[in-house]
Amino acid sequence: MAVEPLRDLRAGRTLPARDYWDPDVHAVERAGIFGREWLCLGPSGAVAASGSYLAECVAGWPVLVVRDAVGELRGFHNVCRHRAGPLVDDGSGTGRAFVCRYHGWSYELDGSLRSARDAGLDPEELDGLGLLELRVAVWRGLLFVNLDLDAPEIEEWLGEGFVAQCAAFPMETWAPVVRQTHPIASNWKTYSDNYLEGYHIPFVHPGLARAIDTSSYEVHVEDGWIRHSATTREGASTAGVWLYHWPNLALNLYERGMSVERWLPTSATSCELVLDYCFADTSDAAAAENRRDLDSSTETCLEDKAICEAVQRNLEAGAYVDGLLSPRHEAGVADFQARVRRARAV
Ligand code: FES
Ligand SMILES: [Fe+2]
């Protein structure tokens, strides 16, 4: 269902500045948004083989995804049931069991408790002390987790329209070539707001502004996802589809590959921008062109990081309380902020 931005947004005000630094607001969003929605972990290749696992801290939630002994994909909190020790360090690896790094309790790859090393506890006292589960899914070569065991299936959550937009691109055949991580000294929503409008492009991205016709830039707001479009100058590497899905995922799809972009809160006033660049052709012949695409994307990211950090400083400074959104350019921002308000109210 498309949102009708103009009518809704004529008098649209931004979220208050406090929402961008208050730790109490952040705690509510961490549980109410990141604790409920599907969260992308990037390309799924790291958990293709039995015994392979991937661990990552997502919005403060330590998650662990493993392909178990019979080939089933499983997700757990990376938290031992004894006294909350970590089972594995963040990153990927392979193993036949998880042994907690604190006192050595061990778990099977299916999450069941194998042994409570030398604890002196009776077996019946250990009943039900398997790892805490979470949902996991692979869609089009991308790995997702969801902390909410009652969440809808991934495709239903993504939405028919979003899935259809991606259908023309052979995403799962593209090879992940490099991951770039940019720490950003801003609230995660400062980056979302920025991603969701093209209004800033002529001022913040001179290189990108030369590659596209900025006056043709449009943001199409759908139900839970957003598509950016712009007329591109012939041959520009930016020709493609830029898709955003609530709350923190963007797929920037081009003829020659894609970047899978997500931004993860690390505190009330910081986040981490993670980009996985995947290319159709990874041969030496394509290396120079891939490098050019990567460099121009990095330039755009660093420009966005700089402006988000400057905005964040001003949001925290105290003079600004809230502002007015542009009905012409900021329908995506308004929709995002309405979702934030709604999620926090539940
Ligand atoms: S916390 Fe894991 S064994 Fe003690
Ligand atoms: Fe930008």
Side-chain angles (χ1 to χ4, degrees):
M1 177 193 69
V3 171
E4 290 179 288
L6 284 178
R7 192 188 59 222
D8 291 342
L9 291 183
R10 265 296 152 198
R13 297 199 78 84
T14 65
L15 292 172
R18 168 178 286 275
D19 288 9
Y20 292 81
W21 53 261
D22 187 330
D24 292 340
V25 170
H26 182 59
V28 171
E29 290 177 359
R30 204 174 77 79
I33 298 174
F34 293 89
R36 286 197 191 127
E37 305 293 351
W38 282 98
L39 304 170
C40 184
L41 299 187
S44 62
V47 286
S50 274
S52 59
Y53 67 81
L54 176 69
E56 186 178 315
C57 194
V58 184
W61 304 97
V63 304
L64 168 62
V65 177
V66 61
R67 181 79 61 182
D68 74 11
V70 296
E72 194 173 327
L73 202 58
R74 294 176 179 274
F76 305 106
H77 292 266
N78 185 12
V79 179
C80 178
R81 296 298 300 276
H82 173 219
R83 280 179 41 224
L87 302 162
V88 294
D89 290 335
D90 284 355
S92 56
T94 55
R96 278 182 295 192
F98 297 118
V99 180
C100 176
R101 304 176 62 92
Y102 201 178
H103 314 94
W105 285 26
S106 62
Y107 300 85
E108 307 289 355
L109 298 182
D110 68 5
S112 55
L113 182 65
R114 178 195 273 188
S115 115
R117 178 190 142 261
D118 200 27
L121 289 161
D122 295 331
E124 58 272 20
E125 293 177 285
L126 296 167
D127 249 11
L129 284 187
L131 294 176
L132 299 168
E133 288 184 71
L134 43 86
R135 298 275 299 282
V136 57
V138 172
W139 176 79
R140 303 287 320 269
L142 299 176
L143 184 61
F144 289 81
V145 292
N146 196 319
L147 275 61
D148 180 357
L149 300 179
D150 298 322
E153 296 298 325
I154 184 75
E155 283 219 7
E156 188 189 333
W157 176 87
L158 285 167
E160 223 174 285
F162 185 92
V163 169
Q165 287 286 327
C166 298
F169 299 90
M171 295 161 48
E172 53 278 87
T173 68
W174 292 338
V177 169
V178 64
R179 170 172 290 183
Q180 281 190 1
T181 302
H182 304 284
I184 300 183
S186 86
N187 181 276
W188 72 281
K189 300 189 297 299
T190 314
Y191 190 85
S192 306
D193 291 345
N194 177 74
Y195 186 89
L196 290 172
E197 45 90 356
Y199 196 21
H200 68 272
I201 290 175
F203 278 73
V204 174
H205 303 302
L208 181 59
R210 279 193 297 275
I212 61 175
D213 171 10
T214 53
S215 68
S216 72
Y217 204 95
E218 281 183 43
V219 176
H220 309 269
V221 179
E222 306 291 344
D223 187 13
W225 61 279
I226 280 167
R227 178 172 63 88
H228 297 245
S229 70
T231 309
T232 337
R233 296 188 205 288
E234 193 83 36
S237 64
T238 42
V241 177
W242 304 335
L243 298 174
Y244 159 85
H245 200 293
W246 160 263
N248 69 332
L249 173 66
L251 298 183
N252 307 303
L253 300 158
Y254 307 102
E255 213 173 292
R256 310 183 53 260
M258 67 174 171
S259 61
V260 181
E261 177 175 358
R262 56 210 170 93
W263 45 103
L264 302 158
T266 47
S267 77
T269 54
S270 62
C271 64
E272 204 169 62
L273 176 65
V274 183
L275 291 111
D276 287 294
Y277 292 93
C278 307
F279 291 111
D281 184 352
T282 54
S283 69
D284 286 351
E289 230 179 335
N290 291 350
R291 167 53 57 188
R292 190 201 65 193
D293 289 353
L294 210 138
D295 286 348
S296 74
S297 166
T298 303
E299 181 180 277
T300 304
C301 287
L302 294 177
E303 289 162 350
D304 283 324
K305 170 182 157 85
I307 194 67
C308 285
E309 291 182 341
V311 167
Q312 181 72 27
R313 285 192 292 276
N314 284 347
L315 290 167
E316 291 180 35
Y320 173 96
V321 177
D322 67 358
L324 205 57
L325 289 167
S326 157
R328 179 166 301 147
H329 296 286
E330 293 172 325
V333 182
D335 184 73
F336 168 75
Q337 297 193 357
R339 282 175 190 280
V340 169
R341 285 191 179 96
R342 219 177 301 150
R344 290 195 312 223
V346 175

